[in-house]
Amino acid sequence: MKSSFNSITVDSDTSSSDTVLLFATGSASHPPIRSVKDRRLAHFRDKLNRVLLDLALQVVRDGEGATKLLQVNVTGAISDISARKIALAIANSPLVKTAIAGGDANWGRVVMAIGKAGEPADRDRLTIWFGKHMVAENGGRARGYREKVATKAVSGRHIRISVDLGLGTGQARIYTCDLTHGYIDINASYRS
């Protein structure tokens, strides 16, 4: 769950119906796994984690008005906890999410989100990629930056933003979606 349902956000809010349940009925035809040392358990965990990630990504793709899936990777933080907080700050930023919705390669918004996370970060060690294209390094625009390539990297249906803070070994991955006019239309049109 840590790398699936606990690593997604649509708008940073949690619904009272946001629940995942897993049941073991004991009705399978194979012999039960009775020990954590059972070799079959690793295989089961891998398959279960794949299913959970697939379901979690479906939740994000189905976010109100969503048109794009955004994967935020943070590395080089002082700890995994710090990396997670920074990744969530990026993933929950309305400015980042609207830029992605509009296909705007505004890496300054990512820098802003990193700063607002309240975690250790050094602008002069920061590296940011949109997809495989490095857009920022050492506190400024990357030497090989090309606007058309950066724009293309944020214009598809699956966007990847990667950040390396250059401070440590902490890392995290968060999935989110873009923020479109559709989000407002859907959420303003009903009352529960």
Side-chain angles (χ1 to χ4, degrees):
M1 296 281 285
K2 182 179 177 185
S3 61
S4 59
F5 283 98
N6 289 332
S7 292
I8 64 171
T9 180
V10 170
D11 56 14
S12 79
D13 291 335
T14 304
S15 169
S16 57
S17 60
D18 288 349
T19 304
V20 176
L21 300 172
L22 180 66
F23 295 94
T25 63
S27 62
S29 60
H30 62 75
I33 297 173
R34 299 195 187 280
S35 167
V36 294
K37 295 179 181 179
D38 189 318
R39 284 191 236 163
R40 296 174 297 156
L41 187 56
H43 179 72
F44 173 76
R45 279 186 183 138
D46 179 58
K47 297 297 184 191
L48 176 60
N49 285 331
R50 288 181 190 205
V51 168
L52 291 173
L53 180 58
D54 181 66
L55 292 170
L57 294 180
Q58 289 180 50
V59 170
V60 173
R61 285 187 183 104
D62 194 42
E64 298 100 321
T67 63
K68 300 177 181 185
L69 174 68
L70 174 58
Q71 176 182 321
V72 178
N73 303 311
V74 174
T75 57
I78 61 164
S79 69
D80 290 349
I81 293 170
S82 180
R84 180 176 170 77
K85 288 179 182 177
I86 292 167
L88 280 166
I90 296 167
N92 285 323
S93 167
L95 291 176
V96 170
K97 292 163 75 77
T98 54
I100 296 301
D104 179 8
N106 188 339
W107 55 270
R109 291 183 175 186
V110 176
V111 174
M112 173 280 307
I114 294 166
K116 81 172 188 175
E119 290 296 313
D122 181 344
R123 181 199 67 205
D124 294 334
R125 292 182 174 196
L126 188 62
T127 307
I128 302 170
W129 294 264
F130 288 165
K132 294 180 181 179
H133 186 59
M134 183 186 294
V135 296
E137 64 180 331
N138 304 321
R141 189 171 76 178
R143 286 183 302 263
Y145 179 84
R146 293 186 308 179
E147 184 70 22
K148 285 184 180 180
V149 176
T151 299
K152 184 177 180 182
V154 297
S155 296
R157 303 265 304 146
H158 184 176
I159 312 302
R160 188 177 68 243
I161 295 176
S162 300
V163 172
D164 190 295
L165 298 167
L167 299 175
T169 59
Q171 57 186 346
R173 174 174 293 154
I174 298 292
Y175 296 94
T176 191
C177 56
D178 56 347
L179 183 58
T180 68
H181 290 284
Y183 180 87
I184 297 167
D185 295 341
I186 292 167
N187 282 287
S189 67
Y190 72 89
R191 177 181 272 186
S192 49

